[in-house]
Amino acid sequence: MIHKDLPFIDLHRHLDGSIRLETILDLGRNHNLPLPSFNIEELRPHVQVVTPQPGVMEFIAKFKWMVGVLVDYDACRRVAFENVVDAEKEGIDYIELRFSPWFMSKPHNLDPAGVVASIVEGLEEARKTTQTKVNLIGIISRTFGPEIGLLELKALLSYKNDLVGLDLAGDEANFPPSLFKEHFLAGRDAGWNVTVHAGEAAGAESVWQSILLLGATRIGHAVRIDEDPKLIDYMLDNHIGIEANLTSNFQTSTVPDLSKHPLKSWLGKGLLATINTDDPGISNIDLPHEFNIAAKLAGLNNSLTRLAQKNALEIAFLSKDEKEQLKKGYGEGKLMV
């Protein structure tokens, strides 16, 4: 259930994994791209997960045409704008959209800094016509290695005042957080908050490094933290947030079944866990689906979904005044089914 006495928030959504199928078709036609099909239903299995993938990197392969249609800066601007419009349609009050400018620029050799500028412009346009509050998180894509990561960081720092956080995503199993300590020191010096993808394709040590070496105050996915009880205690004592992604974790085979997802246990222990979408364009879901359907399959009752919503407001990359402003206007105890 979605609780209307609290803001409806998505803290973990990849902008480049949230592109409309219609937009992929439109850009494909306009730019004569070799899409696998120009029929939306025939295109769907090439872009969206139909059956669980054997791992995270196989899931990421579904991004091929999500980023493959980003032929120019107008396309980047368009998908950023549409992300916010779609979030508003979902009833989302506040969303943090994250993106990797290197990953988005690579298919058509765009300038990563130009990609960042276009994303910023798209969000500014959306803010004029929507009510959803939105902030940006920049991603360093670990898959390309630490040297490319420095170039990506440079592009993000060119617009440092337009971002609220820095993330590390991609091939966690082969590129540990320790390789990116310098990058995140610079990010924290820029005034950014830190969230890191960890505990998904690698174990508890990846989460420890993300917190102790990179300065993460939030962890994306975190599915494997139960491997180390001391890590659980540390995260409780230091108020480290968790950006859980239920459907995504099932689709990447990180959990074998939603009933086995640790989110229920985390919330019961008092961890600051939340419910998010990850890549709704690839997973073919939205945030209401995650609350109304996926959360039930994961064993959450109304009390626990409310707690997840409350946690999202607590760990959002917002100032205290912004959080108070966001809370205004909500009725007590109502549910949005």
Side-chain angles (χ1 to χ4, degrees):
M1 293 290 190
I2 302 164
H3 298 256
K4 292 187 71 175
D5 62 323
L6 290 166
F8 196 39
I9 294 172
D10 194 338
L11 296 177
H12 190 118
R13 180 176 295 196
H14 292 260
L15 184 150
D16 45 358
S18 311
I19 301 175
R20 301 171 184 171
L21 288 178
E22 295 84 357
T23 298
I24 294 174
L25 286 175
D26 188 41
L27 291 170
R29 289 192 189 100
N30 291 343
H31 296 279
N32 297 312
L33 299 175
L35 296 183
S37 175
F38 286 88
N39 173 283
I40 199 163
E41 290 307 320
E42 292 176 359
L43 176 66
R44 190 181 301 277
H46 295 277
V47 178
Q48 295 180 341
V49 173
V50 179
T51 58
Q53 303 297 292
V56 174
M57 295 311 292
E58 288 81 4
F59 180 92
I60 290 175
K62 291 289 184 179
F63 277 88
K64 177 180 178 180
W65 288 109
M66 286 276 172
V67 296
V69 296
L70 301 178
V71 296
D72 55 26
Y73 304 116
D74 283 337
C76 296
R77 189 180 303 110
R78 172 179 174 174
V79 299
F81 176 85
E82 290 178 350
N83 260 256
V84 185
V85 171
D86 292 345
E88 184 178 56
K89 289 177 181 176
E90 292 175 44
I92 293 173
D93 298 295
Y94 173 65
I95 189 166
E96 292 177 2
L97 293 170
R98 59 189 68 194
F99 71 107
S100 161
W102 196 273
F103 186 57
M104 293 176 69
S105 68
K106 194 169 181 287
H108 295 280
N109 297 312
L110 302 178
D111 175 11
V115 171
V116 181
S118 300
I119 298 299
V120 170
E121 289 172 13
L123 261 61
E124 282 303 314
E125 292 173 15
R127 289 184 178 111
K128 296 174 184 176
T129 57
T130 62
Q131 297 300 310
T132 296
K133 183 175 177 61
V134 58
N135 275 323
L136 276 177
I137 295 173
I139 291 175
I140 292 177
S141 185
R142 67 212 310 168
T143 310
F144 303 112
E147 290 186 10
I148 293 296
L150 287 172
L151 297 178
E152 188 159 41
L153 175 65
K154 182 179 179 181
L156 291 166
L157 285 171
S158 298
Y159 297 88
K160 69 175 184 178
N161 294 331
D162 296 296
L163 279 68
V164 298
L166 185 64
D167 183 18
L168 183 67
D171 188 356
E172 181 192 4
N174 292 303
F175 294 90
S178 57
L179 296 174
F180 299 90
K181 185 176 178 180
E182 176 186 352
H183 308 64
F184 280 78
L185 176 60
R188 297 198 307 276
D189 286 345
W192 289 335
N193 299 283
V194 174
T195 176
V196 175
H197 284 65
E200 184 185 17
E205 177 59 27
S206 177
V207 180
W208 276 117
Q209 288 187 19
S210 298
I211 297 169
L212 300 180
L213 299 183
L214 305 191
T217 59
R218 291 183 352 207
I219 299 295
H221 299 290
V223 176
R224 294 175 60 180
I225 60 173
D226 290 341
E227 295 174 2
D228 187 349
K230 291 183 179 179
L231 176 58
I232 297 284
D233 291 340
Y234 186 91
M235 292 177 70
L236 281 165
D237 291 343
N238 291 276
H239 308 289
I240 304 296
I242 298 173
E243 305 156 359
N245 302 280
L246 293 168
T247 296
S248 169
N249 290 156
F250 170 63
Q251 291 181 340
T252 59
S253 299
T254 304
V255 295
D257 185 87
L258 280 179
S259 66
K260 302 293 194 298
H261 199 284
L263 177 58
K264 179 182 178 181
S265 171
W266 293 341
L267 290 166
K269 292 174 181 175
L271 286 161
L272 294 172
T274 60
I275 298 172
N276 311 279
T277 56
D278 201 12
D279 300 289
I282 292 174
S283 293
N284 194 21
I285 51 95
D286 57 16
L287 193 58
H289 175 278
E290 295 302 276
F291 271 81
N292 295 328
I293 298 175
K296 288 182 181 178
L297 293 173
L300 274 65
N301 58 23
N302 289 343
S303 176
L304 290 179
T305 55
R306 187 181 191 282
L307 181 56
Q309 251 183 280
K310 183 180 179 183
N311 288 344
L313 182 63
E314 182 171 346
I315 68 172
F317 291 157
L318 293 168
S319 68
K320 183 178 179 180
D321 288 344
E322 288 174 320
K323 291 177 183 179
E324 289 299 321
Q325 187 66 33
L326 200 57
K327 283 195 295 186
K328 290 183 178 179
Y330 289 88
E332 287 297 322
K334 295 182 181 179
L335 292 175
M336 182 167 62
V337 181

